[in-house]
Amino acid sequence: MGDQICTRKVIVEVCNAKNLMPKDGQGTASAFAIVDFDGQRRRTKTKFRDLNPQWDERLEFLVHDVDSMASETLELNVYNDKKIGKRSNFLGKVKISGSTFVGVGFESLVYYPLEKRSVFSQIKGEIGLKIWFVDEETPPPPTATEEKKEEVAAEAAPEKKEEKTPTPAPENPKDGETPAAAAPPPPEVMEHPPIAQNKPPNKNPSANENTSELKILHKNLSTGVDRRTGAFDLVDQMPFLYVRLVKAKRAHHEPGSSAYAKLVIGTHSIKTKSLADYREWDQVFAFDKDGLNSTSLEVSIWVEKKEADDKIVENCMGNVSFDLQEVPKRVPPDSPLAPQWYSLEGVTGDQNPPGNDVMLAVWLGTQADEAFNEAWQSDSGGLIPETRAKVYLSPKLWYLRLTVIQTQDLQLGSGGTEPKVRNPDLYVKAQLGAQLFKTSRTTVGSSSSASNPTWNEDLVFVAAEPFEPFLVITVEDVTNGQVVGYAKVQVTSIDKRTDDKSEPRSRWFNLIGDEKKPYAGRIHVRTCLEGGYHVLDEAAHLTSDVRATAKQLSKPPIGLLEVGIRGANNLLPVKTKDGTRGTTDAYVVAKYGPKWVRTRTILDRFNPRWNEQYTWDVYDPCTVLTIGVFDNGRYKHDDALKKDVRLGKLRVRLSTLDTNKVYMGTYSLMVLLPSGAKKMGDIEIALRFTCSSWLSLIQAYTNPMLPRMHYIRPFGPAQQDILRHTAMRIVTARLARSEPALGQEVVQCMLDSDTHIWSMRRSKANWFRVVGCLSRAATLARWLDGIRTWVHPPTTILVHILLIAIVLCPHLVLPTICMYAFLIISLRYRYRQRVAITMDPRLSHVDAIGPDELDEEFDGFPSSRPMEHVRVRYDRLRALAGRAQTLLGDVAAQGERLEALFNWRDPRATGIFVIVCLFASLVFYVVPFKAFVVGSGLYYLRHPRFRDDMPSVPVNFFRRLPPLSDQIL
């Protein structure tokens, strides 16, 4: 036999397409793809009437010349199959260079935008492809003798030809599943250094380990795994010893007895639940392998029976031992290890009677194992619900709009013999749960129009699914403080709408009075659940979701956010254990959109390692992820009033992250205490924001932040603020009623529900933020004043030349400014600020705050401090408000002076201004505009020796104009 010949094949997997252009006149298209490469053509099947077809077909192409493969071009054309005899409609094409093909094992799904064939083609959408090549070794061509032998053998053998066909992939994946090829291109890995630590670079030789770790991570990310399946590639793999105990059987069963299993690994010992009649335990135990102090596992089965004197007698059926060094490893997606029957040995080493067996499975795995979340965990206190990792969802929120139109036939008298109240003042009150809103007052008169009061006012509530049962509408009389009548509206019967085009129906409801008045009139109202709004339940500047409530208005996600919560370092103790030593039981909460995640609680460790990874769909890049670290105080049920203590919080704005890059680093945890700002430790996290389509990402920047209804029927600022705080309270109450509960203090911390409360520190921080924004304008003003006063004569001369150039070539002004901005901003890219994830103590203004100001910030609302303290704070607030009041008055005076020029409040000043305007019009008619620009510019840049130290005439004139300050009491 001769040497093997290496042949190369290119495999093109046509996965799916998205948002194709309708071509059949009925809003759909029947698409198929034709792929051409190296003189070969392949065709996919036709997917009928589907604008998002799913093919999942593999097409193979033989490479004739391996060396010239990089210069070849693969062309894919998508057509609409009309099946009528007419020509197929063109849906788009894609051209891919052969130099971009990767080897087998490194392929990943890439979405290519469909291109036009001509200028007049109407094309949209994208197609997902996986392309790779594989080298195969084939035997050399047979010689003449070998060919003859093969012919003889072929004649002797029966003629049979088998044709291999690949197994077709399912056209539609199951609900909730995401194809494994749906991952974006392999991202880059970038380790983000700690920002607030300012440590020198690590010169330890062990630093090379981090570099190699990042390279391994990059290799793992290139395999194209599905991000949503929990690849755990942003965190370290933690080894766990898993033991699944299923059941046991006994040769001689004793009635009335129960059995339990006991696991012993060194000093670690745990018991299963005790079950009668030897039913199945089906419990999984996960032991942190790094914390084990033995190399053997012993599983024993115990039988307990209650005697006549209520004494419980326990007997050991036997045990079975495992050497941990021989335990097999299991790595998903491998199938779970099947449990097996093991014979129990005697306690003294003797053999038990046959029939005493236990069914169990033992394996080594990681936190990525499917059994980990429901297993007994050695580092989280076992099966305590308050320490387990959980995912929470915020309740779905709606705006409920109640339009009170009018009332009719009101029975205003309290009884049949008592006279009616003359000209009563009525208002309508509506209540949904704890929310209560009122309309304005209306006086009922004797005329026909006034006897049926009309309001036409909107009352807006926040309704959360599942809804409250009833919306209660009450008509009350202000004059005597009595209830005229009430009506109940079932919330589930209220119509839903997504826009303002469909007017909700109005209905009449009978008002019910007291027992003496079963009928008190009727009320005309209009109710609807608004699905076109997004119900804000976060601070406006920290929102993480801007989608409308109605699902039909939601657009597909534009990317995926992955967060790896790796661990924490140097946490400070926040409570005492056994009354002697400090301890911390830390867990992490991450919130983005309606999804909340809580890691498991690592008990009694100052350097916990969670290594848990979570994913979120991203619909808008200009949103914020919030991560908080807390100490668990609820896992002990003996103290119901114990609350979780905050250890720090981070915020990440997704728009500051580069796509397809991993940000990994350690960040400081700062918390504000009554004693001042304090660092509670560090948290180590990893972030990755992936986006499959740059077009969708860029388009998101052009869309409005909120849904359409917020702009065509907006809420007022005060009403929006009330609705936001109402939504916060609803979310807090619902999550606090979950099992296990997410504490009220945790939810309020994550939602920043106390940002509206007055704080001297926040006021100073916001003031210095304003000063910082205005500092650039002040710098520009100082620069102009320096030019005007000839501080640097060469610069002033250059400005004179620039003034002449602008006058001579005015059409070059805007191009020069735009090019200057392009060059300056482009050059500053290398000096851009990296992602600032940590809280900034200087920006938060916590380094120069007094103890009294801190005490005021931590004081509740209303204040619980003594009257003397409140009086001091009130006087200080009055002093600050007085300065702010003066500043507002000065700003208002400038506008009033400008307005005084046009309303003749000062007849002489306005007369002077009118005459100046008349002469100015004559001068500008005679003098060319260029001459005016040059003259005014030279006059402004004149040398200081030609200047007067006194203010100019226009400034004096403007300052003498009358404001309205003299008319204020």
Side-chain angles (χ1 to χ4, degrees):
M1 299 294 293
D3 296 334
Q4 299 287 327
I5 299 176
C6 182
T7 60
R8 174 170 292 183
K9 291 183 179 180
V10 172
I11 292 90
V12 180
E13 182 174 349
V14 184
C15 298
N16 58 357
K18 297 181 181 179
N19 302 323
L20 296 179
M21 176 69 72
K23 289 289 186 178
D24 60 354
Q26 300 178 3
T28 60
S30 302
F32 67 91
I34 296 179
V35 186
D36 294 281
F37 180 73
D38 200 4
Q40 306 163 63
R41 172 170 289 188
R42 303 286 186 269
R43 184 187 187 276
T44 66
K45 297 179 180 178
T46 300
K47 297 297 180 181
F48 294 97
R49 297 185 181 276
D50 192 355
L51 295 179
N52 300 281
Q54 187 85 21
W55 288 287
D56 292 328
E57 294 187 30
R58 293 190 178 183
L59 309 176
E60 295 186 359
F61 298 87
L62 182 64
V63 180
H64 297 96
D65 189 357
V66 177
D67 297 332
S68 62
M69 186 188 74
S71 60
E72 296 287 344
T73 301
L74 183 144
E75 183 174 349
L76 181 144
N77 291 270
V78 185
Y79 296 96
N80 172 46
D81 194 351
K82 302 187 70 173
K83 295 291 184 181
I84 309 178
K86 299 181 181 179
R87 65 180 183 87
S88 301
N89 290 341
F90 180 71
L91 293 177
K93 68 176 181 178
V94 171
K95 289 186 177 182
I96 306 170
S97 174
S99 59
T100 61
F101 299 166
V102 297
V104 62
F106 294 93
E107 68 274 9
S108 61
L109 179 63
V110 180
Y111 284 92
Y112 298 92
L114 294 174
E115 301 175 358
K116 297 182 179 181
R117 184 166 54 184
S118 63
V119 179
F120 304 100
S121 300
Q122 294 183 355
I123 302 300
K124 72 173 184 177
E126 54 188 6
I127 188 168
L129 305 174
K130 291 173 67 176
I131 306 176
W132 70 94
F133 63 84
V134 58
D135 295 326
E136 298 179 352
E137 293 184 353
T138 57
T143 59
T145 306
E146 293 175 348
E147 289 180 357
K148 188 175 182 179
K149 291 181 181 180
E150 291 177 359
E151 290 176 1
V152 174
E155 291 177 359
E159 296 183 359
K160 186 176 181 181
K161 197 176 283 185
E162 295 181 358
E163 185 175 0
K164 296 183 180 180
T165 58
T167 304
E171 295 184 4
N172 298 320
K174 296 180 180 179
D175 295 339
E177 293 183 359
T178 305
E188 303 176 14
V189 178
M190 179 174 63
E191 184 174 11
H192 183 56
I195 297 177
Q197 305 235 348
N198 297 327
K199 293 182 178 180
N202 186 10
K203 298 181 180 179
N204 197 336
S206 63
N208 295 331
E209 298 178 1
N210 295 332
T211 306
S212 62
E213 180 184 357
L214 290 178
K215 290 182 178 178
I216 294 174
L217 180 60
H218 188 281
K219 183 177 180 180
N220 291 337
L221 293 176
S222 302
T223 58
V225 296
D226 184 8
R227 301 281 185 246
R228 293 175 177 81
T229 58
F232 284 83
D233 54 353
L234 296 181
V235 295
D236 297 333
Q237 300 293 329
M238 300 178 64
F240 282 87
L241 174 66
Y242 288 91
V243 181
R244 178 183 289 277
L245 276 166
V246 183
K247 57 184 176 179
K249 62 182 179 179
R250 190 177 186 186
H252 305 287
H253 175 63
E254 297 182 10
S257 63
S258 59
Y260 66 88
K262 188 184 214 180
L263 287 75
V264 178
I265 307 176
T267 59
H268 292 80
S269 177
I270 185 64
K271 291 170 54 177
T272 66
K273 52 190 175 183
S274 182
L275 297 178
D277 300 330
Y278 301 90
R279 291 179 295 177
E280 294 187 4
W281 295 294
D282 197 16
Q283 287 185 256
V284 183
F285 301 87
F287 297 91
D288 186 5
K289 191 173 182 300
D290 295 336
L292 300 180
N293 52 10
S294 177
T295 59
S296 64
L297 164 68
E298 182 180 296
V299 181
S300 57
I301 308 299
W302 294 76
V303 178
E304 55 183 9
K305 184 178 182 182
K306 181 182 283 190
E307 300 292 339
D309 55 354
D310 292 339
K311 184 179 179 180
I312 298 177
V313 179
E314 295 184 351
N315 295 317
C316 182
M317 289 175 50
N319 56 41
V320 59
S321 299
F322 296 89
D323 186 359
L324 299 185
Q325 298 179 355
E326 302 296 331
V327 173
K329 293 183 179 180
R330 188 237 169 182
V331 179
D334 294 347
S335 299
L337 196 63
Q340 300 180 16
W341 286 103
Y342 293 89
S343 299
L344 297 175
E345 298 179 354
V347 181
T348 59
D350 301 332
Q351 292 292 332
N352 270 343
N356 290 348
D357 301 327
V358 61
M359 177 182 282
L360 55 85
V362 183
W363 73 92
L364 287 176
T366 64
Q367 76 273 25
D369 200 295
E370 296 89 346
F372 181 73
N373 290 331
E374 300 300 328
W376 178 96
Q377 299 166 3
S378 61
D379 60 351
S380 299
L383 291 172
I384 302 175
E386 287 77 13
T387 63
R388 310 303 299 273
K390 287 292 180 181
V391 176
Y392 302 85
L393 288 177
S394 297
K396 189 175 183 180
L397 302 177
W398 297 74
Y399 283 138
L400 192 156
R401 186 186 298 272
L402 169 66
T403 304
V404 181
I405 303 176
Q406 69 176 111
T407 56
Q408 288 183 357
D409 195 21
L410 294 180
Q411 307 297 319
L412 300 178
S414 59
T417 59
E418 298 181 8
K420 296 183 179 180
V421 179
R422 186 175 183 180
N423 296 333
D425 287 341
L426 302 180
Y427 67 88
V428 178
K429 178 178 68 175
Q431 183 171 3
L432 179 67
Q435 305 175 61
L436 182 65
F437 295 102
K438 301 178 182 179
T439 65
S440 59
R441 298 180 183 181
T442 299
T443 302
V444 179
S446 58
S447 62
S448 60
S449 60
S451 60
N452 297 322
T454 302
W455 284 273
N456 286 322
E457 293 186 23
D458 287 347
L459 303 179
V460 182
F461 302 82
V462 178
E465 295 183 359
F467 298 120
E468 297 284 344
F470 294 103
L471 170 66
V472 182
I473 305 173
T474 307
V475 180
E476 293 189 6
D477 185 1
V478 182
T479 55
N480 55 15
Q482 293 183 355
V483 175
V484 177
Y486 70 92
K488 289 185 177 181
V489 181
Q490 194 171 7
V491 179
T492 55
S493 65
I494 296 177
D495 297 334
K496 299 178 181 179
R497 69 171 183 174
T498 59
D499 52 29
D500 63 327
K501 299 178 181 178
S502 58
E503 187 71 20
R505 58 175 178 168
S506 61
R507 293 187 290 177
W508 288 92
F509 292 93
N510 291 335
L511 296 175
I512 303 173
D514 52 14
E515 297 179 356
K516 299 180 181 180
K517 291 192 308 179
Y519 174 75
R522 61 176 187 164
I523 185 170
H524 190 199
V525 297
R526 183 182 294 114
T527 57
C528 67
L529 289 168
E530 300 280 6
Y533 291 92
H534 168 70
V535 182
L536 293 171
D537 59 346
E538 303 168 291
H541 60 286
L542 299 175
T543 182
S544 60
D545 189 13
V546 292
R547 289 177 294 165
T549 301
K551 287 186 177 180
Q552 55 266 36
L553 297 180
S554 296
K555 297 181 179 179
I558 63 172
L560 191 70
L561 172 65
E562 299 167 271
V563 180
I565 303 173
R566 300 171 62 85
N569 303 316
N570 305 321
L571 295 180
L572 298 182
V574 296
K575 58 187 176 184
T576 58
K577 184 177 183 180
D578 302 328
T580 55
R581 64 182 183 88
T583 183
T584 297
D585 307 319
Y587 68 93
V588 180
V589 176
K591 196 263 182 191
Y592 182 77
K595 178 180 175 182
W596 301 63
V597 299
R598 187 185 72 176
T599 67
R600 66 188 189 279
T601 301
I602 306 297
L603 300 179
D604 196 15
R605 294 186 189 177
F606 298 124
N607 298 283
R609 307 300 299 176
W610 293 285
N611 283 311
E612 298 181 19
Q613 185 169 335
Y614 300 94
T615 60
W616 286 268
D617 286 325
V618 177
Y619 296 87
D620 194 301
C622 302
T623 45
V624 178
L625 165 73
T626 305
I627 300 175
V629 185
F630 302 88
D631 172 76
N632 197 331
R634 283 184 162 82
Y635 72 95
K636 291 185 178 180
H637 300 282
D638 53 353
D639 189 0
L641 299 178
K642 192 71 174 178
K643 294 185 177 181
D644 297 346
V645 180
R646 65 178 71 179
L647 301 178
K649 184 168 59 176
L650 308 176
R651 298 191 191 99
V652 183
R653 187 169 291 275
L654 269 60
S655 58
T656 61
L657 301 176
D658 292 338
T659 56
N660 302 335
K661 285 187 179 181
V662 175
Y663 293 83
M664 188 181 300
T666 304
Y667 309 98
S668 300
L669 294 173
M670 301 292 297
V671 64
L672 188 63
L673 302 175
S675 58
K678 187 175 184 180
K679 180 181 177 181
M680 304 299 293
D682 303 307
I683 184 173
E684 183 181 353
I685 61 174
L687 299 167
R688 177 172 54 216
F689 172 42
T690 56
C691 180
S692 57
S693 174
W694 268 94
L695 182 62
S696 301
L697 184 62
I698 299 302
Q699 186 180 3
Y701 281 86
T702 63
N703 296 332
M705 280 290 296
L706 295 173
R708 180 174 177 269
M709 285 291 291
H710 285 270
Y711 303 98
I712 59 176
R713 293 195 66 177
F715 297 114
Q719 185 182 19
Q720 184 66 70
D721 194 54
I722 294 174
L723 294 175
R724 181 186 298 112
H725 293 302
T726 302
M728 287 182 180
R729 288 193 295 268
I730 293 176
V731 173
T732 302
R734 290 291 179 90
L735 293 180
R737 292 201 302 264
S738 303
E739 185 60 36
L742 196 61
Q744 179 180 357
E745 66 280 1
V746 174
V747 179
Q748 290 178 350
C749 175
M750 298 292 288
L751 293 179
D752 288 287
S753 59
D754 58 345
T755 53
H756 66 288
I757 299 178
W758 162 262
S759 169
M760 180 71 71
R761 176 188 60 84
R762 291 196 185 98
S763 299
K764 290 182 179 179
N766 291 334
W767 168 256
F768 284 108
R769 287 172 57 196
V770 174
V771 171
C773 294
L774 297 178
S775 61
R776 300 296 182 184
T779 303
L780 178 62
R782 287 193 298 269
W783 180 74
L784 291 176
D785 187 70
I787 293 176
R788 179 172 175 266
T789 56
W790 292 70
V791 173
H792 191 250
T795 305
T796 306
I797 295 174
L798 289 176
V799 172
H800 281 80
I801 299 174
L802 179 62
L803 176 64
I804 301 301
I806 290 175
V807 173
L808 295 180
C809 304
H811 60 281
L812 297 179
V813 175
L814 291 179
T816 304
I817 294 176
C818 295
M819 181 58 67
Y820 179 77
F822 167 75
L823 294 176
I824 293 299
I825 298 175
S826 300
L827 292 176
R828 295 183 65 182
Y829 177 76
R830 54 163 47 177
Y831 306 108
R832 70 189 187 280
Q833 182 183 4
R834 300 296 178 177
V835 180
I837 297 179
T838 54
M839 298 295 185
D840 192 347
R842 182 188 57 81
L843 185 62
S844 304
H845 208 73
V846 297
D847 51 353
I849 184 171
D852 185 60
E853 296 175 356
L854 280 172
D855 183 71
E856 180 183 12
E857 183 168 352
F858 281 91
D859 190 9
F861 186 84
S863 177
S864 60
R865 297 296 184 265
M867 188 60 66
E868 293 77 11
H869 292 179
V870 176
R871 184 179 293 109
V872 171
R873 294 174 183 173
Y874 177 66
D875 292 340
R876 181 182 60 196
L877 182 60
R878 288 178 62 189
L880 292 175
R883 291 198 293 269
Q885 172 182 291
T886 304
L887 178 62
L888 290 176
D890 294 340
V891 174
Q894 308 306 317
E896 292 168 354
R897 288 190 176 101
L898 184 62
E899 186 181 2
L901 284 174
F902 304 94
N903 57 13
W904 293 87
R905 288 196 64 243
D906 187 342
R908 284 169 294 278
T910 306
I912 295 173
F913 179 69
V914 168
I915 295 174
V916 170
C917 290
L918 177 61
F919 279 99
S921 63
L922 298 177
V923 170
F924 289 147
Y925 182 78
V926 176
V927 179
F929 182 73
K930 292 184 179 180
F932 169 75
V933 172
V934 172
S936 59
L938 295 177
Y939 177 79
Y940 178 79
L941 297 173
R942 68 190 184 278
H943 199 272
R945 69 179 61 181
F946 302 110
R947 298 178 186 275
D948 191 3
D949 295 335
M950 301 301 292
S952 61
V953 173
V955 173
N956 294 332
F957 179 79
F958 184 78
R959 288 178 178 176
R960 288 180 175 275
L961 293 174
L964 298 178
S965 305
D966 52 348
Q967 299 181 12
I968 298 178
L969 290 176

